[in-house]
Amino acid sequence: MNNKEYIERGRFAPSPTGRMHLGNVFSALLSWLSIKAQGGKWVLRIEDIDPQRSHMEYADLIMSDLEWLGLTWDEGPFYQSERGGIYEAELQKLADRGMTYPCYCTRADILATQAPHESDGRVVYKGTCRNLKPGTHSGPAAIRMRVPEEGEGIVSFVDGHYGEQTVDLTTQCGDFIVRRKDGAWAYQLAVVVDDALMGITEVVRGRDLLLSSPQQIYLAKELGFAPPRFTHLPLLCNTEGQRLSKRDRSLDMEALRSRFEAEDIIGLLAYKAGLQKSPNRVTAEELVAGFDWKKIGCEDIILVEN
């Protein structure tokens, strides 16, 4: 892409494993507003690489809900389930350089050897299968990406909202999965390849994925791609302080569409984000001109149901 054709490109990449809830809508709205405020294009990608949990009817409902909310996309939808050949080719590049290896560990094996990292329950893989001799094990295996030795895997980047971030991949992440044991493509590989090949320049998503960013930056560079900018946003939480999930049925789009108009929902989210001083009805388009990340706080947002 030459400079004359350069345009900012954002994306929304939901998994069709259930109906969107208000937290998903919050991410979609801020992603859409951020890229539209830059005069860019918004790409819709359906991340349906989990064959057991992904269903086309949910993908259709996601698109219906986005259109109803006024969050229309410029390109897509692209379906990850149709891009397996692309991921295979990129994975082979890593394998040819000795950057990957088969892992036979079960989750129980890993939990038994490593205490949760810090306080978030994350478990760091210790590299049990990293140096296995060929033929030592048989049966299905996941494929892991090697990270550098301790002290050499420092990744620093500036998050668009939370500022300077520094992560040691070895001690905080460990070798991570790029293909699952059942043959399904892992999130880290698929998202890195797709963001690069789709020309995505900005990724806006919830702060629960903050630690995924250094892994994706590292993987992108190993594949010869320029990583996008990452901007993470505070999470919408229930009154117990838990991140909203698809289990919060009263806040999913089926329930919300039965009770509210699109402008009501956009207005509430804009108010919670700090983009307007009251939860007045508003369209997404009307928020573009005044959008500014500086208006948005960093603390998670407690949502009280009415």
Side-chain angles (χ1 to χ4, degrees):
M1 185 181 298
N2 62 46
N3 291 334
K4 292 182 180 179
E5 297 174 337
Y6 180 82
I7 187 169
E8 296 288 349
R9 293 166 63 83
R11 50 85 160 166
F12 182 54
S15 299
T17 58
R19 195 74 181 260
M20 280 203 303
H21 57 72
L22 205 55
N24 302 135
V25 177
F26 188 56
S27 290
L29 174 63
L30 293 189
S31 171
W32 189 90
L33 288 173
S34 182
I35 207 67
K36 291 300 178 181
Q38 300 172 67
K41 292 187 175 182
W42 201 54
V43 178
L44 178 62
R45 185 170 74 226
I46 304 297
E47 298 197 337
D48 57 343
I49 50 175
D50 188 328
Q52 278 75 45
R53 299 177 62 227
S54 298
H55 300 283
M56 183 58 70
E57 58 265 32
Y58 287 131
D60 292 339
L61 285 169
I62 288 168
M63 288 185 277
S64 171
D65 290 337
L66 289 173
E67 289 179 325
W68 182 77
L69 289 161
L71 302 177
T72 53
W73 53 96
D74 300 294
E75 295 180 20
F78 301 104
Y79 294 87
Q80 287 189 328
S81 58
E82 300 174 354
R83 297 172 62 80
I86 297 172
Y87 308 144
E88 188 79 60
E90 296 301 327
L91 180 61
Q92 189 59 51
K93 293 178 185 177
L94 297 171
D96 290 346
R97 293 170 51 212
M99 298 293 295
T100 63
Y101 63 90
C103 175
Y104 301 90
C105 297
T106 65
R107 180 163 178 77
D109 294 334
I110 298 168
L111 287 171
T113 60
Q114 174 70 58
H117 175 65
E118 297 178 343
S119 60
D120 61 2
R122 181 177 296 273
V123 174
V124 178
Y125 183 65
K126 280 193 167 183
T128 306
C129 295
R130 195 178 228 241
N131 298 310
L132 285 180
K133 293 181 180 179
T136 304
H137 285 265
S138 60
I143 304 298
R144 287 188 182 270
M145 174 77 179
R146 296 177 186 271
V147 300
E149 299 298 328
E150 187 169 352
E152 298 176 3
I154 305 297
V155 175
S156 296
F157 68 100
V158 179
D159 183 78
H161 193 50
Y162 288 93
E164 185 74 28
Q165 305 290 318
T166 299
V167 171
D168 186 331
L169 291 174
T170 312
T171 59
Q172 292 179 259
C173 301
D175 296 341
F176 54 89
I177 291 176
V178 287
R179 193 166 195 175
R180 296 184 347 191
K181 191 175 290 188
D182 63 3
W185 295 103
Y187 167 76
Q188 303 291 23
L189 178 71
V191 74
V192 165
V193 172
D194 285 344
D195 283 347
L197 299 186
M198 294 177 186
I200 302 303
T201 59
E202 177 183 77
V203 171
V204 174
R205 58 191 181 188
R207 68 160 187 83
D208 54 321
L209 290 171
L210 196 55
L211 196 54
S212 285
S213 297
Q215 296 172 68
Q216 291 167 15
I217 291 169
Y218 170 67
L219 182 52
K221 290 180 177 178
E222 290 298 328
L223 286 169
F225 300 137
R229 301 187 310 276
F230 292 97
T231 301
H232 291 81
L233 49 96
L235 303 178
L236 287 190
C237 298
N238 59 26
T239 50
E240 284 77 45
Q242 300 166 325
R243 176 173 61 93
L244 294 187
S245 72
K246 289 171 183 175
R247 293 186 297 273
D248 294 295
R249 297 299 299 275
S250 64
L251 294 174
D252 76 12
M253 285 302 295
E254 180 179 6
L256 293 170
R257 285 181 69 165
S258 71
R259 298 171 56 198
F260 304 103
E261 297 297 324
E263 292 82 0
D264 296 318
I265 296 171
I266 298 295
L268 172 65
L269 293 177
Y271 168 64
K272 290 291 186 180
L275 297 176
Q276 58 178 13
K277 295 181 180 180
S278 62
N280 291 341
R281 290 164 51 91
V282 69
T283 65
E285 189 65 44
E286 289 170 330
L287 292 169
V288 173
F291 180 80
D292 189 337
W293 279 105
K294 294 178 182 177
K295 297 178 180 179
I296 301 169
C298 291
E299 296 296 320
D300 289 345
I301 300 166
I302 303 297
L303 198 67
V304 180
E305 280 190 69
N306 295 319

